[in-house]
Amino acid sequence: AVKATVKKSEAIVGTVQQAGLSLLQEKKFVLIVIDEAGLVDETMAIAAVALGPTQMVLVGDEAQMKVRQSSSEGLRLKVESIFHRAVRTLGEQAVTLTEHWRMCEACVAPVNKTFYKGQLTVQQEVNQKRRAVIEGWQIFEDSEKPLTWVDVNGTEEKQEGMGRSTLNKCEA
């Protein structure tokens, strides 16, 4: 039943790792989209690439966190995210979106200046809606400045039984 469903499906949503499932190997893919591709290293992306799509779209943000490489072999081979390698390789051919649709302009401004060289724009409709929400919260003295930086003094500590994870109790 699952094979028949996959065979007749026009769209399949899954993780990069699921692209390696044997039941997907026989299907012809026209388009594969990898979201948050900055967190997908090249070795993880191989399964999706091996499906042989006609087109592949990598969605990511060059200024956001890069993939963490923890294996010594990955570090030795300089494995990086498929997204960052594509941006570096394609150069000017890579398409950069500059419209921001999530936060009001006042919240975006510091990030825009620091990481995006002022290239992000916020649509006025989005800006007005987000500002109305912020004003409704009534927690900021000045709704024109709805962003507050909090300096926390603390250090990351390894937690017993948590593998490689760390915790900064002051941040939490």
Side-chain angles (χ1 to χ4, degrees), residues 155-167:
T155 58
E156 290 185 345
E157 302 169 8
K158 296 253 184 212
Q159 297 295 303
E160 205 171 306
M162 297 295 289
R164 295 184 182 128
S165 295
T166 59
L167 172 69

Side-chain angles (χ1 to χ4, degrees), residues 21 29-30 39 49 51 54 58 61 74 79 94 117 123 169 172:
L21 294 173
F29 289 90
V30 176
L39 297 174
V49 172
L51 292 173
T54 306
L58 304 176
D61 188 332
V79 172
K117 301 174 188 150
Q123 302 304 306
K169 291 180 182 178

Side-chain angles (χ1 to χ4, degrees), residues 139-168:
I139 59 173
F140 296 101
E141 289 179 26
D142 182 353
S143 66
E144 293 289 324
K145 298 177 183 176
L147 186 64
T148 302
W149 292 103
V150 178
D151 188 19
V152 289
N153 292 319
T155 58
E156 290 185 345
E157 302 169 8
K158 296 253 184 212
Q159 297 295 303
E160 205 171 306
M162 297 295 289
R164 295 184 182 128
S165 295
T166 59
L167 172 69
N168 182 336

Side-chain angles (χ1 to χ4, degrees), residues 100-146:
H100 185 83
W101 290 83
R102 291 187 182 165
M103 296 182 279
C104 71
E105 205 161 7
C107 290
V108 174
V111 174
N112 190 16
K113 180 180 177 186
T114 306
F115 298 106
Y116 300 99
K117 301 174 188 150
Q119 295 175 342
L120 296 180
T121 60
V122 177
Q123 302 304 306
Q124 284 310 307
E125 177 185 334
V126 173
N127 194 41
Q128 290 168 351
K129 284 181 180 179
R130 299 298 185 256
R131 295 246 346 265
V133 169
I134 290 167
E135 288 170 6
W137 291 339
Q138 299 178 347
I139 59 173
F140 296 101
E141 289 179 26
D142 182 353
S143 66
E144 293 289 324
K145 298 177 183 176

Side-chain angles (χ1 to χ4, degrees), residues 2-125:
V2 174
K3 274 189 175 184
T5 302
V6 167
K7 188 174 183 172
K8 69 179 181 180
S9 295
E10 290 186 32
I12 297 175
V13 177
T15 65
V16 174
Q17 289 86 349
Q18 289 169 330
L21 294 173
S22 59
L23 69 119
L24 297 180
Q25 302 307 308
E26 298 169 19
K27 186 153 182 76
K28 174 76 173 128
F29 289 90
V30 176
L31 173 67
I32 291 181
V33 177
I34 299 180
D35 192 17
E36 296 294 347
L39 297 174
V40 177
D41 78 29
E42 296 162 311
T43 60
M44 290 170 49
I46 287 173
V49 172
L51 292 173
T54 306
Q55 292 183 316
M56 182 172 276
V57 176
L58 304 176
V59 180
D61 188 332
E62 200 174 355
Q64 287 187 4
M65 183 171 45
K66 294 181 178 179
V67 68
R68 289 184 175 180
Q69 187 54 255
S70 57
S71 78
S72 58
E73 192 64 13
L75 291 169
R76 186 183 71 76
L77 294 171
K78 297 182 179 161
V79 172
E80 60 184 318
S81 81
I82 188 170
F83 178 78
H84 288 90
R85 182 168 311 267
V87 168
R88 189 170 45 75
T89 304
L90 293 172
E92 294 295 319
Q93 295 175 6
V95 176
T96 301
L97 302 178
T98 58
E99 293 179 348
H100 185 83
W101 290 83
R102 291 187 182 165
M103 296 182 279
C104 71
E105 205 161 7
C107 290
V108 174
V111 174
N112 190 16
K113 180 180 177 186
T114 306
F115 298 106
Y116 300 99
K117 301 174 188 150
Q119 295 175 342
L120 296 180
T121 60
V122 177
Q123 302 304 306
Q124 284 310 307
E125 177 185 334

